[in-house]
Amino acid sequence: FKATEDKNAAVSQAEKTQQKAQLADRLINGLAGENKRWGEAVESFDVQETKLIGDSMMSAAFVVYAGPFSATFRHFLTEEQWVPDLAQRDIPHTEGS
């Protein structure tokens, strides 16, 4: 009986180990997809970072200066005054924001 119990315990342990290995494989395969997604996100963040100064300048200027004016005049300020000024000064910013 001792040999049978030892065999059953070994088989049970092997099954548990196999299940753990399968779970680990699923986890690693899932993380591989996340690695790709994170790599793409980092590239996007690099592009956004280059435009942060111009975007911040536009946001701050809009809040500080344009708030009390009509929508028509705010549009004039942003699209016909500030955006061309950013472009003339070679300050990167997000187009259409």
Side-chain angles (χ1 to χ4, degrees):
F1 290 122
K2 175 74 171 138
T4 303
E5 289 176 2
D6 288 343
K7 177 189 168 203
N8 290 339
V11 168
S12 175
Q13 184 63 34
E15 289 173 354
K16 288 179 184 177
T17 302
Q18 181 64 30
Q19 287 175 347
K20 284 183 182 180
Q22 288 172 346
L23 289 173
D25 189 48
R26 284 179 40 202
L27 177 63
I28 288 179
N29 288 335
L31 291 176
E34 284 297 304
N35 185 31
K36 180 180 182 240
R37 189 178 68 81
W38 275 93
E40 292 168 355
V42 166
E43 290 176 16
S44 172
F45 295 151
D46 288 342
V47 170
Q48 290 175 2
E49 184 179 21
T50 63
K51 298 177 180 184
L52 184 62
I53 297 295
D55 292 350
S56 297
M57 290 174 66
M58 284 291 292
S59 299
F62 190 86
V63 169
V64 172
Y65 297 112
F69 298 111
S70 68
T72 304
F73 189 67
R74 289 193 304 258
H75 184 271
F76 167 77
L77 282 175
T78 56
E79 298 302 319
E80 297 181 30
Q81 296 290 314
W82 297 342
V83 169
D85 188 56
L86 288 176
Q88 181 184 13
R89 296 170 190 263
D90 291 326
I91 299 173
H93 63 284
T94 302
E95 296 293 327
S97 61

